[in-house]
Amino acid sequence: MGPIRIEPQKALDEALKMQQKLSAGTKVLQSLDEVSFGVTPKEAVYREDKMTLYRFRGSKAPTTKTPLLICYALVNTPYMVDLQEDRSMVKNLLALGQDVYLIDWGYPDGADRYLELDDYINGYLRRCVDFLRKTHDVDAVNLLGICQGGAFSLCFSAIYPEKVKNLVTMVTPVDFHTPDNMLSRWVQSLDVDLFVDTLGNVPADLMNYCYLTLKPVRLNQQKYIGLVDILDNKAELENFLRMEKWIFNSPDQAGEAFRQFIKDFYQGNKLLKGGLKIGDKAVDLKSIRSPVLNIFAEQDHLVPPAASRVLKDAVGTSDYTQIAFKGGHIGIYVSSRAQRDVPPAIHDWLQKRA
């Protein structure tokens, strides 16, 4: 490596360009309104405690008979699937004729400290599914689980196979012990009993800090340095701020549910290895007989592809399809390629099994 060479004129030009960007950015920032996400019209159709089941409304009536229920993770809010007008998986699914519902778990507080996975899966999720079965007069629904919500959906489909017509999992961990899973390595030796007994509910800010430190340079430095380049572009700046708001507007985690998820899924790897119980109900992935579409992201640092691929040999159905998407854990919902490819892939797969 040779010495660093700085050309004075080039450095001066760069400094002037930076100054101009900052000056223009100041004016753009002053012109911005509050950014928001969750853009598609929706109505609350069922509520229980802090959980709300929403039905989205598209520009045309659904053409499918079986409703599609999206089960998101407890981490972050579910509106990554409906971030903005031109980045909405929900909007695109509606346009294709799907009847889309979504569970918003809400923001747990001290009263929810002792909610368990049993409450979330055998309680809230089961009652949402039963509500849809009754409302639409169908025996089973199409279930789309995302990340941790995908793990919940796998548990639900194994416990209640008669209530799931088709199962779609997206960026869903199944094997929590793959060598490339850094998050899993961090929590293997975590004293989660001491952690939860001390904190009660797990603060969202602490969870976000952990996720950001998985890629500390990229997520804590580079993206903010890159922010200078878009300061004078109102639309790009709004996109950036919208994503930041989504990241840092996360809910806390109910303490007992967090304890069980870390122990049984991350530390015990019981979803894949066996021995997992949700409440008094055993979870055996071989009990899943419905068709399964498994979508994962090839550059996912939170759920490595290998953690999802194993689902193929873990479920009991022979109707298994998997799609590897070029992108990361979030890009699978918000990139232009995702908007073009993912909703049609889900819709076409479901239509063949309608």
Side-chain angles (χ1 to χ4, degrees):
M1 178 182 294
I4 298 176
R5 294 180 178 176
I6 299 178
E7 300 176 27
Q9 185 58 50
K10 191 173 181 180
L12 179 59
D13 291 343
E14 287 291 329
L16 288 173
K17 188 183 296 183
M18 169 79 81
Q19 187 180 44
Q20 292 168 354
K21 283 275 187 182
L22 292 174
S23 177
T26 301
K27 296 177 182 176
V28 174
L29 283 169
Q30 291 174 340
S31 71
L32 291 181
D33 295 323
E34 179 77 17
V35 294
S36 61
F37 45 73
V39 295
T40 304
K42 61 183 183 299
E43 64 174 322
V45 295
Y46 177 72
R47 293 184 192 274
E48 185 177 346
D49 301 330
K50 296 180 177 65
M51 185 278 299
T52 305
L53 175 63
Y54 287 106
R55 185 183 193 183
F56 289 98
R57 299 292 186 187
S59 57
K60 63 180 183 180
T63 57
T64 56
K65 178 184 177 183
T66 306
L68 175 63
L69 174 61
I70 298 177
C71 176
Y72 201 80
L74 301 177
V75 181
N76 299 121
T77 63
Y79 299 103
M80 180 49 60
V81 297
D82 188 35
L83 193 64
Q84 61 190 61
E85 278 292 325
D86 59 345
R87 299 184 185 188
S88 171
M89 187 175 78
V90 166
K91 180 182 177 183
N92 289 324
L93 287 170
L94 290 170
L96 292 166
Q98 293 293 325
D99 197 352
V100 184
Y101 290 81
L102 176 142
I103 298 174
D104 185 334
W105 300 110
Y107 288 76
D109 58 24
D112 305 305
R113 158 74 172 80
Y114 294 100
L115 283 178
E116 300 176 349
L117 294 183
D118 183 31
D119 298 300
Y120 283 104
I121 297 172
N122 293 318
Y124 298 134
L125 177 54
R126 179 182 60 80
R127 288 189 282 274
C128 285
V129 169
D130 287 344
F131 174 87
L132 295 181
R133 292 170 64 229
K134 182 178 180 180
T135 301
H136 288 266
D137 191 24
V138 295
D139 294 328
V141 305
N142 292 329
L143 184 58
L144 193 165
I146 296 174
C147 192
Q148 183 191 37
F152 286 10
S153 299
L154 286 169
C155 292
F156 183 85
S157 300
I159 296 171
Y160 306 100
E162 72 283 2
K163 299 186 180 188
V164 179
K165 183 177 178 66
N166 297 294
L167 174 63
V168 182
T169 54
M170 296 184 68
V171 291
T172 293
V174 180
D175 183 355
F176 287 76
H177 285 180
T178 55
D180 53 351
N181 191 332
M182 185 181 294
L183 185 61
S184 176
R185 288 177 178 273
W186 283 3
V187 300
Q188 288 306 313
S189 57
L190 173 68
D191 187 341
V192 69
D193 287 330
L194 177 62
F195 191 78
V196 173
D197 291 345
T198 302
L199 294 175
N201 288 345
V202 180
D205 288 345
L206 179 57
M207 295 289 293
N208 277 326
Y209 178 77
C210 291
Y211 291 130
L212 294 176
T213 50
L214 286 169
K215 285 189 172 182
V217 175
R218 171 70 185 89
L219 299 178
N220 290 307
Q221 296 179 13
Q222 285 183 342
K223 74 172 182 178
Y224 295 112
I225 294 174
L227 175 62
V228 176
D229 292 330
I230 62 170
L231 272 178
D232 55 349
N233 185 321
K234 185 177 181 180
E236 288 294 322
L237 192 54
E238 286 177 335
N239 291 345
F240 180 90
L241 294 174
R242 187 176 292 108
M243 182 66 77
E244 290 291 287
K245 184 174 182 176
W246 176 78
I247 292 172
F248 295 104
N249 191 29
S250 301
D252 295 343
Q253 302 292 295
E256 290 306 314
F258 180 86
R259 187 200 307 266
Q260 186 181 359
F261 196 72
I262 295 298
K263 279 189 172 182
D264 288 350
F265 289 74
Y266 272 100
Q267 294 178 343
N269 206 16
K270 293 181 180 179
L271 181 62
L272 179 65
K273 298 298 183 184
L276 177 63
K277 293 187 73 173
I278 302 297
D280 61 353
K281 301 183 184 306
V283 175
D284 179 1
L285 294 181
K286 290 294 183 185
S287 298
I288 298 178
R289 302 289 182 181
S290 62
V292 173
L293 172 61
N294 185 25
I295 304 173
F296 54 87
E298 293 181 341
Q299 285 77 44
D300 194 334
H301 70 291
L302 291 174
V303 181
S308 283
R309 283 198 188 100
V310 295
L311 184 59
K312 177 180 180 181
D313 297 321
V315 291
T317 181
S318 59
D319 188 351
Y320 174 89
T321 307
Q322 70 179 27
I323 297 176
F325 179 83
K326 292 182 179 178
H329 193 75
I330 301 302
I332 199 170
Y333 307 106
V334 300
S335 72
S336 56
R337 185 191 301 125
Q339 302 306 309
R340 183 192 65 206
D341 296 344
V342 175
I346 294 172
H347 174 74
D348 293 346
W349 184 85
L350 288 174
Q351 285 303 96
K352 292 176 182 175
R353 294 158 180 82

